[in-house]
Amino acid sequence: MTGQIIATYGAALSLLIGAGFITVGVIGLLKFNDPMTRLHAPTKVGTIGIGMLLLASLLHSFAIGESSMHELLIMAFLFVTAPVSANFIAKVNIHRRACLPPPEPSHDETWSTLDSPEGDPEIASAKGSEA
């Protein structure tokens, strides 16, 4: 087997895996009813599904003898920006109270919650000393 045939089989396998993840992500987006659970399905599609499609494109371009690095740049951009945008969408849903609030922390009242820092005596005394 030549490298071109192996790359073609690899591209076909990557296309199948990517299409499978995209299909599952679309079904999850349609079936889930809560905004936070809906957010989970497209983030997996964005990273794994589209990443596999881009890998298939990269393998195909190398199989036909052309080098293309655009796919690597797109993958790098996608893998850097997708988690950040998902985090922002989740925070907006939490602050709009469109979903269940995060669980109460065990030790600190203001850590990672929507409580105001006025309830924390250490923060209130620090603000009082700054004024």
Side-chain angles (χ1 to χ4, degrees):
M1 266 192 179
T2 64
Q4 185 177 10
I5 294 172
I6 293 172
T8 303
Y9 284 141
L13 183 64
S14 295
L15 282 173
L16 288 174
I17 293 171
F21 270 98
I22 289 174
T23 303
V24 169
V26 168
I27 292 170
L29 184 62
L30 294 174
K31 290 290 183 179
F32 292 143
N33 52 6
D34 183 87
M36 295 299 269
T37 55
R38 273 189 164 174
L39 179 64
H40 184 71
T43 55
K44 299 304 170 233
V45 169
T47 54
I48 299 172
I50 295 175
M52 291 304 284
L53 296 180
L54 289 169
L55 181 65
S57 175
L58 184 69
L59 287 172
H60 176 69
S61 67
F62 283 127
I64 62 173
E66 296 176 8
S67 62
S68 174
M69 300 308 265
H70 295 129
E71 290 87 356
L72 290 177
L73 294 173
I74 294 169
M75 272 194 246
F77 180 75
L78 184 69
F79 291 154
V80 168
T81 58
V84 174
S85 62
N87 187 18
F88 282 143
I89 293 170
K91 288 291 186 179
V92 166
N93 282 319
I94 290 172
H95 285 288
R96 289 181 62 204
R97 301 196 191 280
C99 61
L100 294 174
E104 290 294 323
S106 59
H107 300 292
D108 190 6
E109 294 289 324
T110 59
W111 183 84
S112 185
T113 63
L114 298 177
D115 291 339
S116 61
E118 288 82 27
D120 191 356
E122 292 178 9
I123 295 175
S125 65
K127 279 188 173 183
S129 64
E130 289 176 3

